[in-house]
Amino acid sequence: MASSSLSSASPALRIISSLFPQYSPTLHANPSLLPLSPSRPRSLSLSLSTSSRSEKLSCRAVSSATAARMASEKKVQVFDSKDDLAAELAKYTADLSDKFTKERSSFTVVLSGGSLIDYLRKLVEPPYLDSVDWSKWHVFWVDERVVPKDHEDSNYKLAYDGFLSKVPILPGNVYAINDALSAEGAADDYETGLRHSVKNGVVDFSEATGVPKFDLMLLGMGPDGHVASLFPGHPLCEEKEKWVTFIKDSPKPPPERITFTFPVINSSAYIALVVTGAGKAGAVQKALGNSEDSGTLPVELVSPAGELTWFLDKNAASKL
Ligand SMILES: O=C(O)[C@H](O)[C@@H](O)[C@H](O)[C@H](O)COP(=O)(O)O
């Protein structure tokens, strides 16, 4: 990938480089993704890496959130249109499916609720509908509302209607909430099921983190910077022992949900953060820009052991 000189770089590149001014970041603008001919998806892709020495030095001296921001490889892709974003997300996901299917004959994918499912719309069309080995997919949820699976608020129903009903994933490989239980019971039940999936080798396990290691997490982000059902200022953001926990006072309705905790989220090999709309530009700026009060949002704690890629539309990136 060609490197970009910072002086002539776009605002996004300058903002990202200002995030770590004291380091010698290498910024890559991938020419194949830069806004070129109208026929190609118009997007700007950049990745930021800093020298390991400076990371060690910085992580001792900064808040956990900033250290988390430092710790993983971050890629930011900004798209002119939601269709371009969906097209790139489909390719990204299909490529990872091929990678893990070859490596371990299975592909573990974790879905969010909200608009994320709609952005998978290109994945259920040719060529991916025919090229992806759907029989190797195992689908989980990063969070779920404690409602019946046929309720309009159910993330299972959202994913089934918009995605799962359109691809030949084996029903036994779709791990939905037990909707007959209370929030606490459903969280315990989901964690028990996850421990079983780790034990039988369906879900990888990280000796380094001591928690499951999913291949790909597809996350959304709320305007307040929440991810999954982990909300700003909520004690659940600090949960370090449980893999799955529950909330009964979600500021985003409905109030009762179960959710993966950050140790599980951050143990992932790959995370895609799909964020669109001007209403989220403030949170994106805090997370990626040089905002004064950075370090306060749950999304800033997303720092996978592997690779984090932000998929933004230009409205969500408008303050970078
Ligand atoms: O169950 C949920 O509500 C989601 O998992 C939640 O975390 C969602 O991803 C964000 O709120 C973004 O939702 P939108 O993309 O619809 O704004």
Side-chain angles (χ1 to χ4, degrees), residues 111-117 119 141-145 153-155 158 218-224 226-231 250 252-254 257-259 273-276 280:
L111 302 177
S112 285
S115 62
L116 183 275
I117 297 302
Y119 286 111
W141 276 265
V142 77
D143 69 341
E144 176 57 288
R145 292 82 179 283
D153 281 346
S154 164
N155 284 347
L158 179 75
L218 296 165
L219 299 183
M221 183 196 80
D224 60 356
H226 79 259
V227 292
S229 289
L230 300 167
F231 294 91
S250 169
K252 176 180 180 183
R257 296 145 168 258
I258 67 170
T259 183
L273 249 173
V274 182
V275 182
T276 61
K280 300 179 180 181

Side-chain angles (χ1 to χ4, degrees), residues 123-138:
L123 201 55
V124 301
E125 295 173 0
Y128 307 114
L129 182 60
D130 310 306
S131 65
V132 167
D133 185 351
W134 300 102
S135 70
K136 298 295 191 298
W137 278 48
H138 294 263

Side-chain angles (χ1 to χ4, degrees), residues 152-304:
E152 63 176 5
D153 281 346
S154 164
N155 284 347
Y156 170 84
K157 180 180 184 334
L158 179 75
Y160 183 83
D161 294 347
F163 175 60
L164 296 173
S165 58
K166 301 174 179 179
V167 291
I169 294 173
L170 306 174
N173 291 354
V174 176
Y175 305 80
I177 190 175
N178 179 336
D179 59 4
L181 301 174
S182 67
E184 187 166 5
D188 288 347
D189 177 75
Y190 209 78
E191 177 157 335
T192 302
L194 182 51
R195 288 182 184 278
H196 181 69
S197 294
V198 168
K199 194 171 178 188
N200 67 16
V202 166
V203 176
D204 201 0
F205 183 79
S206 166
E207 296 299 338
T209 61
V211 296
K213 181 178 181 181
F214 286 98
D215 298 330
L216 171 61
M217 267 197 204
L218 296 165
L219 299 183
M221 183 196 80
D224 60 356
H226 79 259
V227 292
S229 289
L230 300 167
F231 294 91
H234 203 287
L236 291 185
C237 291
E238 303 306 321
E239 173 60 49
K240 296 287 187 281
E241 299 308 317
K242 290 180 181 176
W243 294 1
V244 186
T245 188
F246 66 96
I247 182 173
K248 290 188 171 181
D249 57 351
S250 169
K252 176 180 180 183
E256 296 203 355
R257 296 145 168 258
I258 67 170
T259 183
F260 282 170
T261 58
F262 273 118
V264 173
I265 291 171
N266 284 331
S267 182
S268 305
Y270 291 83
I271 293 180
L273 249 173
V274 182
V275 182
T276 61
K280 300 179 180 181
V284 168
Q285 184 196 34
K286 277 187 185 177
L288 289 177
N290 200 17
S291 168
E292 291 308 312
D293 55 352
S294 289
T296 59
L297 302 182
V299 72
E300 296 178 77
L301 294 174
V302 174
S303 177

